Amino acid sequence: MTVKVRSFAKINLGLCVGAPRPDGFHELRTVYQTIALHDIIGVQVGRGTGIEIRCDDERVPKDQTNTCYRIAECAMHALGASGRVTITIDKRLPVQGGLGAGSGNAVATLLAIERALKKELPGAKKLRIAAEVGSDLPLFLVGGTVLGVGRGEEVYPLPDLPACCCVVATPEIGVSTPKAFADWDAMLGGAGETAELRSARTGPFDSAQGRRRPPTQSISTHLRKDSKLTASPPSDRMLEFGRALSAWLSGLPLSGVPVSRGRGRAETSLLDLVRTGIENDFELVVFPKYPELREVKSVLERAGAFYASLSGSGSAVYGLFRSRVAGQKAAARLQRDGVAAAVTTTLTRRQYWKKFPVSGF
């Protein structure tokens, strides 16, 4: 019997990059949010030995470099099982898109193997296996709104943000995450991000509108000047990100930001998180190399997105909208410009697990 499950994507609501760690990774702070866009993973465990990966997309590796392959090995060993594992990937999400497609595929494979064998690993063990295979795998064992710390692999469920319309643009650009990290280190020379660089990303925060105003100077201008600017250490930036999230979670008022009024409690929670000023640090190094991605973000903002951002290191750029109608108009505008865009929704934790199975349960 083949077990089929949905492998959902994620976006990052803010991503703060800290200093390099002794293990070669960077310290991170981010809020992951699962969304309804997905691949379909099919798993069958039969007679024989080995692992086979089937996928029509030529960009998807079929050998040990695929995270599905690696986690299948770990899962079979941990479950004390034997047999030939056949993994079929119906690829609908972009490769190297910043949506966690490969990581989600791996976690979906792990859970499908459990169901195919009618055996289950303890939750803590699954999280450990997922973290060993990749930094952003564990979030897919939680779903919904998730805090990621460490190198992103240490995850904690947050109070779910409300499901809302999300437009995901996927330009045909592949952004290498290791290269983005290297560019980040080269840009800062080991120092933290300056306030001026932060403003250069998308413009200063407009608390009245709950969004960013367009920058008055280009990022390249700020980069030429950054030797004259005072940089805050990476540790300070991480603390600032953590404090903003802590204030949001505890309901403390945010400095200079008016309290949201006149909306439902769920929408207020989302708007208040946005108003903490959360941003994706990778925009500072990815947008100068791929200005078309910065333009996609601008299109989403002009179309009415109350928050727009690069997801992960890209190349996917998303916008959150108050209504599906507004999101559909934004997607149509991008599509007229030749940019692939899909209208979807964010998923709460309950929705994530309810929609996870397809068949074989």
Side-chain angles (χ1 to χ4, degrees):
M1 180 184 71
T2 298
V3 175
K4 289 188 177 182
V5 297
R6 291 180 178 87
S7 172
F8 293 106
K10 62 82 180 171
I11 55 176
N12 295 83
L13 300 172
L15 196 163
C16 183
V17 182
R21 302 167 8 149
D23 61 7
F25 291 94
H26 286 69
E27 193 72 16
L28 298 177
R29 297 287 186 274
T30 189
V31 175
Y32 298 113
Q33 176 62 56
T34 50
I35 61 175
L37 296 182
H38 61 274
D39 293 332
I40 298 290
I41 302 295
V43 170
Q44 185 173 18
V45 181
R47 294 180 179 178
T49 60
I51 297 168
E52 179 186 2
I53 296 178
R54 300 173 180 173
C55 183
D56 292 336
D57 192 322
E58 295 181 355
R59 298 170 299 173
V60 175
K62 315 296 191 302
D63 57 14
Q64 295 92 331
T65 62
N66 191 306
T67 52
C68 295
Y69 191 109
R70 299 205 305 273
I71 208 165
E73 283 186 318
C74 295
M76 294 295 284
H77 176 75
L79 290 164
S82 60
R84 182 172 182 81
V85 180
T86 303
I87 304 164
T88 304
I89 304 173
D90 180 359
K91 178 56 65 177
R92 305 175 184 185
L93 297 171
V95 177
Q96 284 190 323
L99 297 175
S103 298
N105 289 174
V107 170
T109 296
L110 167 62
L111 297 175
I113 287 173
E114 284 186 326
R115 285 153 177 77
L117 295 173
K118 294 181 172 54
K119 295 182 178 181
E120 188 171 356
L121 294 168
K125 191 162 190 177
K126 282 188 280 199
L127 285 166
R128 178 181 60 77
I129 291 172
E132 289 173 354
V133 174
S135 295
D136 60 354
L137 270 70
L139 83 96
F140 292 104
L141 287 167
V142 180
T145 307
V146 183
L147 173 65
V149 300
R151 53 182 170 85
E153 90 293 0
E154 190 177 342
V155 292
Y156 301 95
L158 291 173
D160 265 325
L161 292 169
C164 73
C165 178
C166 178
V167 176
V168 180
T170 52
E172 292 186 6
I173 297 171
V175 178
S176 165
T177 298
K179 183 63 167 61
F181 275 115
D183 290 343
W184 174 262
D185 290 338
M187 182 189 75
L188 296 183
E193 182 188 0
T194 67
E196 286 193 71
L197 280 173
R198 191 158 55 243
S199 176
R201 182 199 325 262
T202 49
F205 188 69
D206 184 339
S207 60
Q209 297 296 322
R211 61 196 302 177
R212 299 272 154 189
R213 295 192 299 272
T216 56
Q217 290 178 286
S218 68
I219 288 178
S220 59
T221 300
H222 285 277
L223 294 180
R224 288 196 296 271
K225 292 168 54 183
D226 79 316
S227 61
K228 302 177 183 178
L229 302 175
T230 302
S232 59
S235 58
D236 288 353
R237 298 174 55 262
M238 303 293 280
L239 283 172
E240 290 171 7
F241 188 92
R243 286 168 181 156
L245 285 180
S246 180
W248 167 66
L249 288 169
S250 60
L252 294 173
L254 302 167
S255 177
V257 179
V259 176
S260 300
R261 298 187 186 279
R263 299 183 178 88
R265 183 176 179 182
E267 184 180 353
T268 294
S269 177
L270 178 56
L271 291 175
D272 283 346
L273 174 59
V274 168
R275 285 170 174 165
T276 63
I278 55 172
E279 295 175 323
N280 184 337
D281 283 346
F282 280 125
E283 291 183 0
L284 282 170
V285 292
V286 173
F287 282 178
K289 289 196 170 184
Y290 304 100
E292 55 268 50
L293 298 182
R294 189 185 332 174
E295 176 57 25
V296 168
K297 178 178 176 178
S298 296
V299 169
L300 291 168
E301 290 178 329
R302 292 195 299 268
F306 63 85
Y307 184 72
S309 174
L310 191 71
S311 185
S313 61
S315 59
V317 181
Y318 70 88
L320 302 179
F321 290 83
R322 289 184 174 87
S323 73
R324 190 170 184 87
V325 171
Q328 289 170 335
K329 290 180 179 178
R333 163 68 191 278
L334 288 166
Q335 291 163 358
R336 286 196 298 270
D337 293 340
V339 178
V343 181
T344 185
T345 182
T346 61
L347 293 175
T348 64
R349 195 164 299 114
R350 182 178 180 181
Q351 291 170 331
Y352 177 84
W353 290 109
K354 183 178 180 180
K355 295 175 181 291
F356 178 75
V358 176
S359 66
F361 287 77

